[in-house]
Amino acid sequence: MPSPSSATSMTPAWVAVLLALLIGIQPTATDMYLPALPALSHSMGANLAQAQLTLSGLFLTFGISQLFWGPLSDRHGRRPVLLVGLGLYTLCATAAVFASTMSGLTLLRMAQGVGMGAAVVCGRALIRDLYTADMGTRVMSKGQTGLGILACLSAPLGGLLSDLWGPQAALAMVAITGALIWVTVALTFRETLQHRVPSINTRSLLHAAAEVLSHRTFWAYAMLSTTTFCGLYLFLSTSSFIYIDHFGLPQTLYGAVMLVTSLSFITGTFLTRRLMNRWSIPAVVRAASMLALLSGLSLVALQLFKVNSLLASLVPICLFFISHGINQSCGQAGCVTPFPQFAGMAAALNGVLMMLCGFVVGAWMGSLQAPPHVILAWGMGVLCVLIALIAWGPVRKHGAQA
């Protein structure tokens, strides 16, 4: 497997930076927007379920679009797909600033999700273009560290902008960020795909999808990355309503809470690289699953004993984000490693599974009448138990084949 420096004119360090920008577009689209969500909901006369649709709708189109972008990038290369997708993302994010109704904002956010899919699927696929399994996991963890840094900056910045100039200012910053990433890719990204799929047709797509979906290693890591992502999505969907409406924090302090969770996520990505110096990927995942299990059970216990404390609830949330940083790094790299010819398809199928399950979680939340903090506690409890079962079951049995 060639090194990045021999495969492209980009240095390995710059590859890691670009990866962080590409997969980090997701927290800039969500975390920067979250502090403004309650204010947008109130100004547009929308309820919780309607507000959640601006998130779940974005994640739905984000996931489904990857089935389109993945094969296209395997055929035509990562660079042209990135430029088209990021252009669409930026245009829709700009239009969202001027949306006057929640339904209009939702449609624009869904279109934005389509463009976002190109950035993330190409970011994941280039790991397989350039690296082997162990090195790919290390590089992915560096990219996830960059993602965490962007998340650290996004929520506090979104909260500050919303406090100073209103919620539309946070939406404008999302658009500006998209434009900056597009310019960076246009000026510096060099093609990483070395062996293109000869043609795209129904038969070849079905063959590629069948090869990926029949691989047990793919399913082991796809289930892991999907379940831990659902925990992230559950937190993102409820956090602004819990900390701003329930605990009464101003938007700026809510951004500080999100900063703490992002730092916890970054801690997990650093731990991934340290632990992989001693353990195998499945062993690292099993250790992370114990942190997730402790987090979920602690949140359920707080609800059972009616402990209504911001600090008490934040500690297990931080434990979950540490485990999420480990599990997402291992899960995303493990999904694409067995498929040198179909990395785009593998990344796309993993992405669509994550987003469809996130959409189901969002729909489930919208159907409940319970307060957001209760939904978060019990939902995280169930998801963290599932993470532990996956880590000690499919990943332990099939994960070493990555």
Side-chain angles (χ1 to χ4, degrees), residues 6 16 28 40 47 49 82 140 188 218 282 284 317 334 355 385:
S6 65
T28 62
L40 284 170
N47 57 32
L82 281 171
M140 178 59 78
T188 68
F218 169 81
V284 172
I317 289 295
M355 300 311 136
V385 169

XYZ file of all heavy atoms in Angstrom, residues 6 16 28 40 47 49 82 140 188 218 282 284 317 334 355 385:
114
model
N 3.597 9.264 -1.553
C 3.898 8.717 -2.871
C 2.679 8.658 -3.754
O 2.779 8.681 -4.966
C 4.504 7.314 -2.725
O 3.569 6.421 -2.165
N -4.156 14.482 6.996
C -4.881 14.425 8.263
C -5.723 15.690 8.472
O -6.845 15.625 8.969
C -3.908 14.240 9.422
N -19.927 21.102 12.404
C -20.168 22.513 12.110
C -21.609 22.731 11.640
O -22.190 23.782 11.892
C -19.200 23.040 11.043
O -19.390 22.333 9.811
C -17.753 22.860 11.487
N -34.867 29.796 17.332
C -35.495 29.660 16.024
C -36.889 29.038 16.146
O -37.828 29.460 15.475
C -34.622 28.794 15.114
C -33.361 29.446 14.529
C -32.486 28.394 13.867
C -33.735 30.530 13.539
N -42.933 23.579 17.358
C -42.822 22.771 18.566
C -41.553 21.926 18.506
O -40.786 21.986 17.547
C -44.060 21.885 18.760
C -44.325 20.981 17.566
O -43.402 20.548 16.880
N -45.596 20.694 17.309
N -41.086 18.669 18.107
C -41.032 17.693 17.015
C -40.670 18.364 15.695
O -39.878 17.828 14.905
C -42.373 16.973 16.894
N -16.129 15.810 -4.274
C -16.011 16.760 -3.162
C -16.397 18.173 -3.588
O -17.123 18.871 -2.866
C -14.582 16.754 -2.618
C -14.200 15.608 -1.688
C -12.701 15.628 -1.407
C -14.986 15.693 -0.387
N -7.535 7.825 11.132
C -8.926 8.184 11.390
C -9.084 8.812 12.768
O -9.849 9.766 12.945
C -9.824 6.957 11.254
C -11.303 7.224 11.546
S -12.035 8.483 10.451
C -12.277 7.522 8.955
N -6.042 22.678 -2.568
C -4.991 21.804 -2.025
C -5.225 20.318 -2.200
O -4.277 19.540 -2.108
C -4.800 22.075 -0.521
O -5.967 21.647 0.204
C -4.549 23.552 -0.243
N -17.502 -6.044 8.115
C -18.227 -4.800 7.850
C -19.379 -4.640 8.837
O -19.564 -3.571 9.428
C -18.764 -4.784 6.421
C -19.734 -3.644 6.168
C -19.269 -2.374 5.906
C -21.108 -3.855 6.224
C -20.145 -1.318 5.692
C -21.995 -2.808 6.011
C -21.514 -1.535 5.741
N -10.150 -4.853 18.255
C -11.288 -5.368 19.037
C -11.108 -5.187 20.544
O -12.085 -4.915 21.257
C -11.331 -6.853 18.651
C -10.729 -6.907 17.283
C -9.637 -5.881 17.321
N -9.427 -2.769 22.041
C -9.653 -1.345 22.322
C -11.147 -1.046 22.361
O -11.641 -0.317 23.242
C -8.944 -0.473 21.255
C -9.338 0.991 21.414
C -7.437 -0.630 21.354
N -22.271 11.808 30.666
C -22.261 12.220 29.261
C -20.822 12.320 28.755
O -20.501 11.888 27.640
C -22.988 13.564 29.075
C -24.493 13.385 29.262
C -22.694 14.165 27.709
C -25.159 12.505 28.219
N -12.659 0.403 10.466
C -12.876 -1.030 10.305
C -13.854 -1.363 9.208
O -13.738 -2.409 8.549
N -27.135 7.068 9.496
C -28.100 8.162 9.413
C -29.541 7.663 9.447
O -30.410 8.315 10.031
C -27.857 8.977 8.152
C -26.477 9.602 8.101
S -26.019 10.472 9.636
C -24.333 9.900 9.827
N -26.025 -0.224 26.391
C -26.064 -1.680 26.557
C -25.817 -2.362 25.207
O -25.068 -3.346 25.106
C -27.406 -2.122 27.162
C -27.566 -3.638 27.086
C -27.508 -1.666 28.620
